[in-house]
Amino acid sequence: MLKLTDVVTYYGPIPALKGVTLEVNAGEIVCLLGGNASGKSTTMKTILGIVRPHSGTVEFEGKRLDGLATGEIVRRGIALVPEARRVFGRMTVWENLAMGSFIRRKAPASEIDQDIERVYTLFPRLRERANQYAGTLSGGEQQMLAIGRALMARPRLLLMDEPSMGLSPAFVDQVFDIIQTINRQGTTILVVEQNAAVALSIASRGYVLQNGQIAVQDSAAALLAADDIRRAYLGEDQA
Ligand SMILES: Nc1ncnc2c1ncn2[C@@H]1O[C@H](COP(=O)(O)OP(=O)(O)OP(=O)(O)O)[C@@H](O)[C@H]1O
Ligand SMILES: [Mg+2]
């Protein structure tokens, strides 16, 4: 479904990605692991066209994406839940969700309402807070809103950049349960995480980025079992 081949991305003179090759098949949850500054967010931004690759190709459903504008990439079926859950703080929960459907401006209002209803079913807390300003939500609630807003674009592939960041363990479990539900409902997922154990527990496969390159790739089960890999690449002291 998604295929990156030898992707090289620079910021000014400095390469952040030095030839990344990875693949996500339809229906999968794949996780992209790696320490700080290894290039995880840059990979997400390159897929979405927020930064342009210097060389290499990004293909989605058999067609090249690299070089296209972000809006066009979203229209083709990819949405991003950004790092640090950037919601529109001065808009209400409902307004944030409605903004998420901007690429479907021509869709009838009833269809948008139906999709907002779907998000409220996944996250009942957002329904309770529909008219609250997003900036006043708790961190966990903002993460739910960021995920809900991305779903409003009806993506076939959802990119998630560190959905567990800053959340308490109970909230992390809840968010990962919902990620699984979204996947079962038919959305393919590529999730970036530092929290390797939680991400691998719901993923089928994983890649480990190190210094802009894929250092390891394997099944989630094998990566979960490989304490040495997690120590070497992810800075974990122990499992
Ligand atoms: N806009 C930018 N301009 C210049 N350098 C950047 C920019 N964004 C990222 N970088 C650099 O690219 C490298 C990779 O950054 P990236 O954000 O992809 O890492 P990451 O793996 O997501 O890290 P983290 O776990 O801290 O979020 C870092 O060295 C970073 O400083
Ligand atoms: Mg990052």
Side-chain angles (χ1 to χ4, degrees):
M1 181 181 222
L2 177 76
K3 192 172 181 188
L4 275 66
T5 308
D6 284 328
V7 169
V8 175
T9 300
Y10 281 84
Y11 290 113
I14 303 166
L17 302 183
K18 302 172 187 168
V20 169
T21 296
L22 66 82
E23 204 166 344
V24 180
N25 301 309
E28 278 192 300
I29 299 179
V30 172
C31 71
L32 182 60
L33 307 169
N36 286 124
S38 57
K40 304 181 301 295
S41 297
T42 302
T43 302
M44 298 301 218
K45 288 177 189 163
T46 304
I47 296 168
L48 210 66
I50 297 167
V51 293
R52 301 243 166 133
H54 166 264
S55 60
T57 59
V58 180
E59 289 164 84
F60 180 61
E61 296 177 334
K63 298 197 181 97
R64 293 275 293 267
L65 289 185
D66 46 283
L68 297 180
T70 300
E72 176 58 24
I73 293 171
V74 175
R75 260 188 294 277
R76 291 194 184 194
I78 304 181
L80 171 71
V81 181
E83 196 170 22
R85 44 181 174 262
R86 295 183 213 292
V87 295
F88 304 115
R90 292 177 173 223
M91 291 187 185
T92 66
V93 167
W94 186 90
E95 287 166 339
N96 268 270
L97 293 174
M99 286 293 290
S101 63
F102 79 99
I103 58 150
R104 296 160 48 214
R105 274 186 296 267
K106 290 182 188 130
S110 62
E111 196 182 295
I112 306 291
D113 287 344
Q114 205 182 321
D115 287 1
I116 289 182
E117 196 53 37
R118 177 190 170 210
V119 171
Y120 286 162
T121 306
L122 280 172
F123 302 106
R125 201 184 279 243
L126 294 183
R127 184 199 303 277
E128 290 164 22
R129 293 171 187 277
N131 297 313
Q132 185 172 330
Y133 285 112
T136 64
L137 295 173
S138 78
E141 289 165 350
Q142 289 187 25
Q143 184 60 271
M144 293 176 176
L145 181 56
I147 296 170
R149 191 183 55 190
L151 290 176
M152 290 298 295
R154 291 201 178 176
R156 292 189 295 287
L157 174 67
L158 185 61
L159 308 176
M160 309 183 90
D161 197 346
E162 301 211 37
S164 77
M165 195 202 282
L167 304 186
S168 66
F171 243 107
V172 171
D173 288 345
Q174 210 176 324
V175 165
F176 275 82
D177 277 350
I178 286 163
I179 295 173
Q180 270 185 305
T181 303
I182 292 167
N183 176 249
R184 283 196 211 102
Q185 291 175 352
T187 307
T188 304
I189 292 173
L190 176 61
V191 57
V192 159
E193 262 298 332
Q194 300 228 18
N195 197 335
V198 185
L200 288 168
S201 73
I202 66 161
S204 55
R205 296 185 298 114
Y207 292 87
V208 181
L209 260 177
Q210 189 192 31
N211 197 16
Q213 288 181 306
I214 301 291
V216 182
Q217 65 180 85
D218 213 330
S219 69
L223 288 171
L224 261 177
D227 293 349
D228 52 336
I229 288 177
R230 296 217 305 283
R231 266 196 297 272
Y233 297 107
L234 306 173
E236 288 186 9
D237 291 333
Q238 53 191 14

